[in-house]
Amino acid sequence: MPEKKIIPNLMMGEKFRGSHLKSIWRTCNKIRAALFQVKHNLRDDFLLLDPTKSGLVSESKFLSVFQGKLQKLVGLSEAEIIELTDYFKTRDGRIYYRQFCEVIQDPEKENLNPGTKDYVTGLEWEDPLHKNSISSSEHRHLCLILAKIAQSIRLRDVVLRPYFQDYELISNNHGTVTFAHFNRVLHFLDINLSAKDFQLLLKRYMKDSYTINYVAFLEDIEANVRYFDSHRLMDHSQDLIRNFPGKLIDVQLPKLARPEIGNVNIGKVLDRVTTLHPVVTSKFSEGNRKRMEVDEILLRIQRHVFENQVRVKEFFEKFDIFRCGFITKSQFIRGLDAIGVSTLRRLYMTSDEIEDLCQLFADPDDAQRIAWRTFVNYIDKVFNVENLQCNPNTIVEVPPKEVKQLEKLGAMKQDECQSREFWELCQEAVFKINQSVTRRMILIEPLFRDFDRHRLGHVSINQFHQVLSSIGALLTSKEIQSLERRYLDDMGFNYILFLRDIEPQATSLPKYIAYTEKKIQLNSAQKPVKAQPRDIIHIIADIKAQAVRKRINISQFMAGNDPLKHETITCSEFKRGLQNANIILNDQDLDRVCEVFKTFTMPNHIDYKRFCDLIEEAFTQKGLTHNPLTVPLQHFPSDDGPDNFLNFDERCLVSLTLQKLSKHFDTISNLSELFTDYDKTNCGTITQHQLLRALSTRDLHNLISSRELNVLFKCFAKNRGLRQEFKYKEFLQALKFVANAGIRVPF
């Protein structure tokens, strides 16, 4: 008789135990475990489909429950759903869902438990031998894959369980591991699977959509090993017999052992920098990465948030449902990872540094609660200052000076750059590159710009080597290494700092800045006069003049800050009141007024009542009820200022000009009619061009020169808006006075 091929059955060497009743019980345990995790009541879903409460629903309604919203929650296959439907179906084709719900939610009332030791009793909510249903062809393929894995394990006499239990001691997953750890264990044991075979293993032993039930996997492997030993399917070389189906797994062992892989830095062997990521570079460094202090950690987070314009509050607020200002430690770490602060994200920080940050903002009563609102308020100081409305005169520096001057991670320290040997190598390399660029007249900055498309100021090491080869700089390996050590950081090669050393004269201010300064200088009539400290008498006179011109009652703006009528307000409120009243003073004058009118009983308070009474003297005189015969004198402010100040020579020139024009004063030349025609708004002023036109109409412009005309305009000038105008009424009065004061000859 021909020899039959020996193929392991469904359970890898054990007798087939899966009857129809056992598969139904296993499916019920799977549904019970999924519903227990979310505390879902299955009976409510069927009651919505059974308005008569008969306990029976149609087959389509029963399938709609598991293929609808429970499909992702439970994850039953079509074969498992069909088995459940056939088991609980009545003679008329309907499904007895009430009995099904009693089995799922009250398992002690049913006797579906086969009584075997391999299955759960129904009181537990998880099955330690959880497996997923697959098709018959996939099952046969899986049997062959497990047989070859069992052969490899049997050949080397390896125990698999400790590799998975070490992970379980840390994660406490109760018989499950992640996909990544399962793959790492297989790779460590030199069990190389194709992508299709590995996906088939996941499909069979996957649990909760992200873990692998390694207990069931190991049981099948051990069952295969026992099956091979009991049926003598191994020859003397521990290989399968010839009639067993061919290999599906090709295990290729390396020819030589490579213990240096993962333990020795390749950059140290090749004597050059090959990696830039801080995780890789810190692993092989001579001394491990220095642990940052908490203050430096906060500054680095502030700079990261400012550069990327991140609103930190939005990433933590969603975890604080009750708005109590506290979240759990794991939620705080998830929020940091969302803004890019973790061991793998853009701002690299070690686990110890993140732990120090959590301890800093932890609740004193509960270390697992983090005060996220305090953390957010501290980080947001990089954008603004708290309680700025109470101190409106505070100058805010964005970003703060300590954040702006913070060095980049991975950059070389200043003391390391000052070593003599290193400094000589760097200087020699910079000099050679400078000579090469100058001799060939090459612009080196565009070469770096082509690689730096996002304008981050950094390029990779390979790109830096390409730039060196492009400019034809002949450098030794040690000189290139010195440049890399000098300008490298965690982001790459800092070519901005490199260009400052190569081309120190290349950086210049834009021409637009010089153009705007020159334009302002040409348009300004007078050079800006520096503010000099003034006496309190001049300051009060200036305030009275502004109050009279603008018709302002200052006491109205001060009384609003004194609701209790104490006649005193704070210094900041006093300054704010003057600003609201449109009284324009510089900081020195404001400080001087506050110093004179401050109270002696309360520090930092101003007696605004005394100040307002003094300013009101410009309009009226206090105490007229006791002196009814007194005639009050109104204050007339002078319009003279630094713009129309004349020196001795200019005063003499104006005097001569007035004497020339006094012979043609208003009664003869009738200049007032011309000036009135030009003064459409009747404000008493005209422009310099209109003055020249009026004098030309009466043929008086030939009597004076252009310099005399300019000095005359300066003497009677007045600021109106953004320009100076000529006060023609005062000019006519001056002409009349000079004409009447002249010496008259009787004949």
Side-chain angles (χ1 to χ4, degrees):
M1 295 178 64
E3 187 177 359
K4 297 182 179 180
K5 293 183 180 180
I6 302 175
I7 300 176
N9 56 13
L10 181 66
M11 303 309 288
M12 319 312 160
E14 295 184 1
K15 294 182 179 180
F16 182 71
R17 304 177 302 181
S19 62
H20 184 64
L21 184 61
K22 295 178 181 179
S23 62
I24 291 295
W25 179 253
R26 188 177 294 275
T27 304
C28 291
N29 286 336
K30 184 178 180 180
I31 298 173
R32 186 182 301 112
L35 297 179
F36 180 80
Q37 291 180 354
V38 297
K39 297 182 179 180
H40 183 75
N41 190 0
L42 186 61
R43 198 186 305 271
D44 296 338
D45 297 335
F46 289 106
L47 289 176
L48 295 175
L49 304 176
D50 184 20
T52 60
K53 305 297 186 296
S54 62
L56 298 171
V57 294
S58 63
E59 184 177 357
S60 60
K61 293 181 180 180
F62 185 82
L63 294 176
S64 65
V65 174
F66 290 98
Q67 293 179 353
K69 61 181 180 180
L70 295 180
Q71 183 177 7
K72 294 183 179 180
L73 180 62
V74 180
L76 295 179
S77 63
E78 294 182 0
E80 292 172 341
I81 296 176
I82 292 174
E83 288 179 354
L84 281 178
T85 305
D86 294 339
Y87 185 80
F88 292 99
K89 185 182 295 184
T90 60
R91 293 182 179 181
D92 57 355
R94 293 185 295 177
I95 309 298
Y96 192 28
Y97 73 87
R98 182 175 298 173
Q99 182 183 6
F100 172 69
C101 293
E102 290 177 357
V103 173
I104 296 299
Q105 297 179 354
D106 300 323
E108 295 180 355
K109 297 181 180 180
E110 297 295 330
N111 296 323
L112 291 176
N113 190 356
T116 59
K117 297 181 180 179
D118 298 332
Y119 294 92
V120 294
T121 61
L123 299 178
E124 294 83 358
W125 66 280
E126 282 190 343
D127 185 7
L129 300 178
H130 171 81
K131 299 177 188 177
N132 299 319
S133 299
I134 55 178
S135 63
S136 58
S137 60
E138 290 176 342
H139 209 293
R140 181 178 178 84
H141 191 187
L142 179 66
C143 292
L144 297 176
I145 294 173
L146 294 178
K148 297 306 293 181
I149 295 176
Q151 176 201 357
S152 177
I153 298 301
R154 182 67 178 84
L155 176 62
R156 292 177 291 173
D157 197 13
V158 179
V159 181
L160 291 178
R161 195 173 297 273
Y163 293 98
F164 297 100
Q165 287 180 345
D166 292 342
Y167 179 82
E168 186 177 1
L169 291 175
I170 299 174
S171 59
N172 294 327
N173 282 346
H174 303 291
T176 59
V177 295
T178 60
F179 296 164
H181 185 73
F182 184 75
N183 190 15
R184 285 195 296 268
V185 172
L186 295 181
H187 180 71
F188 180 77
L189 296 175
D190 294 333
I191 301 175
N192 300 322
L193 298 175
S194 62
K196 183 179 179 181
D197 297 340
F198 187 73
Q199 290 293 334
L200 185 57
L201 283 177
L202 296 182
K203 186 176 180 181
R204 177 61 173 171
Y205 300 102
M206 183 171 59
K207 189 175 183 179
D208 295 333
S209 301
Y210 69 96
T211 56
I212 292 291
N213 189 355
Y214 75 89
V215 177
F217 171 74
L218 294 179
E219 185 178 356
D220 291 345
I221 295 296
E222 293 172 358
N224 272 282
V225 173
R226 291 194 300 268
Y227 184 81
F228 292 154
D229 293 340
S230 61
H231 292 78
R232 297 181 180 180
L233 297 179
M234 293 284 189
D235 55 12
H236 295 288
S237 62
Q238 298 299 329
D239 292 331
L240 289 175
I241 59 177
R242 184 179 57 185
N243 293 331
F244 196 84
K247 292 185 178 180
L248 293 177
I249 305 175
D250 295 327
V251 181
Q252 298 179 356
L253 297 176
K255 296 181 179 180
L256 298 175
R258 300 293 299 276
E260 71 277 3
I261 296 178
N263 297 320
V264 180
N265 188 4
I266 301 178
K268 185 179 293 185
V269 177
L270 300 178
D271 199 12
R272 58 178 296 183
V273 179
T274 58
T275 55
L276 285 176
H277 198 277
V279 176
V280 182
T281 54
S282 62
K283 177 181 179 182
F284 299 106
S285 59
E286 296 179 359
N288 290 332
R289 182 176 180 269
K290 186 178 179 181
R291 191 169 179 177
M292 288 192 298
E293 299 293 337
V294 179
D295 296 338
E296 185 179 357
I297 293 174
L298 293 174
L299 291 178
R300 299 225 175 256
I301 295 176
Q302 284 182 339
R303 188 172 72 174
H304 169 74
V305 168
F306 178 78
E307 291 176 351
N308 297 277
Q309 296 296 307
V310 180
R311 298 186 66 180
V312 186
K313 181 180 179 181
E314 296 180 355
F315 294 92
F316 295 95
E317 191 176 14
K318 59 184 179 181
F319 297 117
D320 190 6
I321 301 176
F322 299 103
R323 299 295 185 267
C324 60
F326 293 91
I327 57 177
T328 62
K329 185 177 179 180
S330 60
Q331 291 173 345
F332 182 73
I333 295 176
R334 286 167 60 188
L336 292 177
D337 183 73
I339 65 177
V341 180
S342 67
T343 57
L344 295 176
R345 297 300 294 272
R346 189 168 184 176
L347 180 59
Y348 169 73
M349 290 204 178
T350 61
S351 302
D352 296 336
E353 293 169 350
I354 295 177
E355 186 66 26
D356 293 342
L357 190 64
C358 294
Q359 293 179 1
L360 179 64
F361 294 96
D363 188 2
D365 300 330
D366 188 1
Q368 295 298 322
R369 294 190 349 140
I370 307 298
W372 69 271
R373 199 179 298 277
T374 307
F375 170 76
V376 169
N377 292 337
Y378 187 86
I379 297 300
D380 286 345
K381 289 181 180 179
V382 72
F383 297 106
N384 206 343
V385 181
E386 293 182 355
N387 301 325
L388 189 60
Q389 65 275 9
C390 300
N391 299 310
N393 296 325
T394 304
I395 299 176
V396 181
E397 185 179 2
V398 178
K401 185 177 180 181
E402 56 272 10
V403 177
K404 189 185 299 183
Q405 297 179 353
L406 192 63
E407 296 181 355
K408 291 186 176 295
L409 282 173
M412 201 169 190
K413 302 298 182 182
Q414 190 67 22
D415 53 352
E416 297 178 1
C417 297
Q418 294 177 356
S419 62
R420 183 175 180 180
E421 182 180 359
F422 175 78
W423 183 255
E424 290 177 355
L425 284 174
C426 281
Q427 288 293 100
E428 185 67 23
V430 169
F431 177 76
K432 288 182 179 180
I433 296 174
N434 193 2
Q435 289 296 322
S436 177
V437 171
T438 305
R439 190 186 315 110
R440 300 178 60 184
M441 301 179 64
I442 300 175
L443 294 177
I444 191 174
E445 184 177 1
L447 300 177
F448 287 105
R449 293 282 185 179
D450 293 339
F451 293 113
D452 186 17
R453 295 183 179 180
H454 299 288
R455 299 298 183 265
L456 299 176
H458 291 76
V459 295
S460 65
I461 298 178
N462 295 330
Q463 292 170 350
F464 169 64
H465 291 168
Q466 292 180 25
V467 173
L468 291 182
S469 61
S470 299
I471 64 177
L474 302 177
L475 302 178
T476 62
S477 59
K478 291 186 178 180
E479 291 174 347
I480 295 176
Q481 291 173 17
S482 63
L483 291 177
E484 291 174 353
R485 290 178 56 196
R486 173 67 179 89
Y487 301 104
L488 274 180
D489 52 36
D490 285 354
M491 295 183 63
F493 185 84
N494 190 351
Y495 71 87
I496 299 296
L497 185 61
F498 174 72
L499 291 177
R500 292 177 184 174
D501 298 338
I502 296 296
E503 302 173 354
Q505 301 297 332
T507 58
S508 60
L509 293 176
K511 293 183 179 180
Y512 179 75
I513 298 177
Y515 170 75
T516 53
E517 292 179 354
K518 187 175 181 180
K519 183 178 179 181
I520 294 173
Q521 184 179 1
L522 291 175
N523 293 333
S524 61
Q526 295 289 338
K527 294 183 179 180
V529 180
K530 295 184 179 179
Q532 299 292 335
R534 296 190 297 174
D535 194 343
I536 187 63
I537 298 176
H538 294 84
I539 298 173
I540 295 298
D542 188 9
I543 297 175
K544 286 182 178 180
Q546 295 186 39
V548 171
R549 294 193 192 100
K550 301 175 183 179
R551 311 302 295 176
I552 300 172
N553 186 6
I554 300 179
S555 60
Q556 294 179 354
F557 298 93
M558 300 293 181
N561 298 321
D562 185 20
L564 302 179
K565 308 302 180 183
H566 289 166
E567 299 183 357
T568 57
I569 57 177
T570 61
C571 183
S572 60
E573 294 173 347
F574 180 76
K575 293 180 180 179
R576 194 183 305 116
L578 291 178
Q579 185 179 6
N580 295 334
N582 198 14
I583 301 297
I584 302 174
L585 296 174
N586 54 27
D587 295 338
Q588 295 179 354
D589 295 344
L590 285 174
D591 296 338
R592 181 60 178 165
V593 172
C594 293
E595 182 181 357
V596 172
F597 291 95
K598 67 179 180 180
T599 59
F600 298 97
T601 57
M602 301 175 65
N604 199 22
H605 278 67
I606 308 299
D607 188 0
Y608 77 92
K609 182 64 175 176
R610 185 162 57 95
F611 172 78
C612 294
D613 292 342
L614 182 61
I615 300 302
E616 286 295 329
E617 292 180 357
F619 301 97
T620 184
Q621 186 173 353
K622 190 176 181 180
L624 287 177
T625 55
H626 302 288
N627 299 313
L629 299 179
T630 303
V631 178
L633 298 177
Q634 188 176 0
H635 177 74
F636 290 96
S638 176
D639 295 331
D640 296 334
D643 295 332
N644 52 6
F645 175 76
L646 302 178
N647 55 25
F648 179 75
D649 295 335
E650 292 175 341
R651 289 197 300 270
C652 294
L653 188 60
V654 169
S655 178
L656 294 175
T657 305
L658 291 176
Q659 290 179 10
K660 291 179 183 180
L661 297 176
S662 64
K663 299 178 182 179
H664 305 276
F665 61 94
D666 189 45
T667 57
I668 298 176
S669 60
N670 196 14
L671 288 174
S672 61
E673 295 294 334
L674 295 176
F675 291 149
T676 306
D677 293 339
Y678 289 125
D679 187 12
K680 302 295 183 182
T681 58
N682 196 19
C683 59
T685 59
I686 58 175
T687 62
Q688 186 176 6
H689 179 66
Q690 293 171 348
L691 171 65
L692 181 60
R693 289 179 61 184
L695 294 178
S696 299
T697 303
R698 294 291 185 258
D699 199 16
L700 299 178
H701 65 287
N702 295 326
L703 300 178
I704 58 177
S705 63
S706 59
R707 181 170 180 270
E708 292 173 344
L709 179 63
N710 292 332
V711 175
L712 180 66
F713 181 81
K714 180 181 179 181
C715 178
F716 295 96
K718 179 181 180 180
N719 290 325
R720 184 173 296 278
L722 299 177
R723 64 181 180 183
Q724 289 183 341
E725 294 187 356
F726 184 76
K727 298 182 289 186
Y728 66 88
K729 292 183 179 180
E730 297 182 4
F731 170 69
L732 294 176
Q733 292 178 1
L735 281 181
K736 184 178 181 181
F737 178 78
V738 173
N740 295 331
I743 300 175
R744 295 183 177 273
V745 181
F747 53 88

